[in-house]
Amino acid sequence: MSRHDSDSSRLNRRQFLKYGAGASAAGLLYATGLQARTLSTNARVVILGGGAGGMAMANRLSRRLDGARISLVEPREVHHYQPGWTLVASGVWHPEKTMRPNAHFVPKGVDWVRQPAAGIDAANRQVELGDGSLLDYDYLIVATGLQLNYHLIDGMSPELVGSHGIGSVYASIEGAARTRNAIDAWIAQGSGKGIFTAAPTPVKCAGAPLKMTFTTLSRLEASGRRDAFQMEFIAPGLGLFTQPYINDFVKQRFDAQGVTRRHQYRLSAIDPQAREVEFTFVGPDSEFTSHHQLRESEFSREGERRVVTDYDFIHVVPPMSAPDFIKASNLIAQDGPFRGEWLDVDIHTMQHNRYPEVFGIGDVIGAPINKTAASVKAQAPVVEANLLAQMQGQALPRRHNGYTSCPMITGIGKAMLVEFGYDDNFAFLPSFSFIDPKDESWVAWVMKDRMLQPAYYAVLEGQA
């Protein structure tokens, strides 16, 4: 749907300006009521991580628990609004817009432990800190976020982002800015091949690799030389996005905009000096190996088939997992699809499946979806209510329905507000009657560009 000439789009604008602009920013992700009753307790509560999930829980619990000793383990002084990194890498935002001091969000009365966590002994309810000291807990909230495993791509490291035609929006805020510079340099070159990749693991903000492709397409089209550039998207699976309608939409849009799709290959190695990359076959795709610009390499000793191609620009999405110290602990999933890689929690109650005094929130948990800030918004009241119930020996009253949200940018100036959950094959869960999740609109772009950041900070402060 064109954001300029569609009657429904103009209606969306009028309705949005009438109703949306006056609404609470926190309500954009959907409202949850905050309970005022406090619980008197001397329990020791440790929160690992000061990202969106950890900071939200620190603020919520500081108000709900009277007398508790709450420790927030977070070494960083600066809080990063990571949902804004795609806008930085796309040349829309300045990096400074995504940063705030963590001191603005840590609530009074919470002990801010400015060290990294190095280990967890769940049997003895202890956290090992970076200096070797131990922190005891009665209840633990794991909100560490995830780990970027660039090292699993041979020859790749985050330090390479911004050089040799390499971009990666995930690396850091500096990496996002350097990704923008690498795209600038490629466009200034006037022609060439760009490769956009996906990871063979769950990733945070699963739409980010697609958003980077779409915003780069917008920039190439604006340059007036779109036909001089080749665009390829290479994914390890048959799908590009979890939500079925959006998955089909993205595939069709890529095809219509001249993005060549290659499926069932993962990025396995990069040679920055030669500007060549290697992909390893993970499923049948004869089209990929017969493509005239690819040459099949020797079979590895493991019998894997690999192909090598050149590039002028490549957007690298690394494999991701829970942090190593979580993976080395007895809190990691022992079986099932998240075995050895993600925190073992009940995806509805957020309680650990084997240690009832432990809860998880955010990117670290093993779940089929949920690695977004909007998921944290939905999970925080569930963790709060269920933790307090656990402290009182009561049944856990709240359940998380898997709600997640992705403002899927489909070009600079337009997006789709994609909200969905666990049930009915990841069916849509729209929050606004005047926004169709199947349509591109200016409204969804404005939400991403201007309104979701205040909502995010309200979540951190425990106000939403």
Side-chain angles (χ1 to χ4, degrees), residues 85 96 116 128 144 170 187 190 213 224 246 298 311 360 399 449:
W85 288 6
E96 297 77 17
E128 181 184 354
T144 58
Y170 289 105
I187 295 173
T213 311
I246 300 301
E298 296 295 327
Y311 70 88
R399 288 178 65 82
D449 184 29

Side-chain angles (χ1 to χ4, degrees), residues 14 42 64 69 80 149 168 172 198 201 221 239 260 305 357 366 373 416 429 438 464:
R14 288 198 300 271
N42 62 0
R64 293 298 308 280
R69 290 167 286 173
H80 290 272
N149 295 316
S168 182
S172 61
T201 66
E221 290 164 357
T260 301
R305 189 165 75 237
E357 69 279 2
M416 305 167 78
L429 295 173
K438 296 181 179 180

Side-chain angles (χ1 to χ4, degrees), residues 100-158:
R100 299 284 190 280
N102 260 330
H104 286 184
F105 303 109
V106 178
K108 184 178 180 181
V110 168
D111 178 26
W112 182 4
V113 181
R114 290 173 165 85
Q115 289 193 57
I120 301 173
D121 181 351
N124 292 305
R125 300 190 183 186
Q126 289 183 324
V127 172
E128 181 184 354
L129 301 175
D131 65 358
S133 63
L134 299 176
L135 188 61
D136 295 324
Y137 66 82
D138 297 306
Y139 298 92
L140 178 68
I141 297 175
V142 182
T144 58
L146 50 67
Q147 177 173 282
L148 305 174
N149 295 316
Y150 285 100
H151 65 280
L152 296 180
I153 303 169
D154 188 30
M156 181 62 194
S157 73

Side-chain angles (χ1 to χ4, degrees), residues 149-183:
N149 295 316
Y150 285 100
H151 65 280
L152 296 180
I153 303 169
D154 188 30
M156 181 62 194
S157 73
E159 290 73 29
L160 287 170
V161 174
S163 64
H164 308 289
I166 299 171
S168 182
V169 72
Y170 289 105
S172 61
I173 185 57
E174 295 80 12
R178 293 197 298 268
T179 296
R180 177 200 61 211
N181 295 338
I183 295 171

